[in-house]
């Protein structure tokens, strides 16, 4: 006969609203994981269906097979929507009106670009004057990147996977993952 306990829990570690305000708690990242605990012990007497735990001195140690945190992940969802969201929106309010102007200078000129390499108004200014378009291209790339960021307020969950962490594993029962 066997006595067995298998526990599988979904855990969340986050700041309590009792310690910080609700708005701050929602804005802080949290850690989530699945907790696995596997324990079983065999009866000394095969004819007795009950296990006598009074004579076992190391019941926990002798029966422990696995203690592991699986699928550990760092959830940035609240942090992104509550903290970064307003910042990104403010930046977009500035950069989105500039996008059409940047497009005029960085879009390849039709017909001319069809005949060979892409040529923009910035390229023409650089070729026929004392002008280096590198800085403008860098600014254009930054503005395009900012404008492509999705709305963080809609981000329910942005999770960074951190893997599995084995605290204890009885090699015979549950080999440690490599």
């Amino acid at each position: 006969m066997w006595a067995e306990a298998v526990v599988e829990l979904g855990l969340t570690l986050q700041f309590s609203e009792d310690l910080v305000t609700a708005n701050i708690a929602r804005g802080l990242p949290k850690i989530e994981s699945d907790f696995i605990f596997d324990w079983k012990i065999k009866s000394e007497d095969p004819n007795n269906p009950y296990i006598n735990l009074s004579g076992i001195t190391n019941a926990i140690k002798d029966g422990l097979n696995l203690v592991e945190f699986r699928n550990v992940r760092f959830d940035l969802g609240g942090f992104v929507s509550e903290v970064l969201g307003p910042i990104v929106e403010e930046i977009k309010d500035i950069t989105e009106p500039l996008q059409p102007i940047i497009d005029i200078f960085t879009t390849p000129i039709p017909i001319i670009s069809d005949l060979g390499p892409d040529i923009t108004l910035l390229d023409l200014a650089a070729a026929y004057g004392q002008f280096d378009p590198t800085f403008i291209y860098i600014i254009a790339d930054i503005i395009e990147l900012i404008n492509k960021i999705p709305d963080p307020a809609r981000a329910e969950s942005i999770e960074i996977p951190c893997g599995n962490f084995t605290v204890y594993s009885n090699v015979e029962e549950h080999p440690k993952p490599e």
Side-chain angles (χ1 to χ4, degrees), residues 77-154:
F79 176 74
V80 170
S81 62
E82 299 291 327
V83 178
L84 294 182
I87 295 169
V88 169
E89 287 305 314
E90 289 293 323
I91 293 171
K92 280 185 172 184
D93 287 345
I94 296 167
T95 60
E96 283 179 343
L98 296 175
Q99 189 67 51
I101 298 166
I102 295 295
D103 290 343
I104 290 170
F105 290 108
T106 59
T107 301
I109 300 170
I111 301 173
I112 297 173
S113 294
D114 293 340
L115 300 173
D118 289 343
I119 298 174
T120 66
L121 289 176
L122 285 177
D123 295 331
L124 290 175
Y128 295 107
Q130 300 291 329
F131 177 73
D132 182 12
T134 306
F135 181 70
I136 302 293
Y137 279 121
I138 290 171
I139 297 294
D141 289 342
I142 292 170
I143 289 173
E144 286 181 28
L145 174 67
I146 290 169
N147 290 341
K148 287 182 181 178
I149 295 174
D151 184 7
R154 293 188 192 134

Side-chain angles (χ1 to χ4, degrees), residues 17-35:
E17 292 180 9
D18 295 335
L19 297 175
V20 296
T21 65
N23 288 337
I24 292 174
R26 280 193 307 267
L28 294 173
K30 59 186 172 184
I31 299 172
E32 297 179 332
S33 175
D34 300 323
F35 176 74

Side-chain angles (χ1 to χ4, degrees), residues 65-71 163-171 174-178:
N65 292 316
L66 181 67
V67 177
E68 184 174 52
F69 294 92
R70 290 186 187 159
N71 192 21
N164 300 329
F165 298 97
T166 303
V167 177
Y168 177 82
S169 175
N170 181 342
V171 178
H174 298 278
K176 290 183 181 179
E178 295 181 18

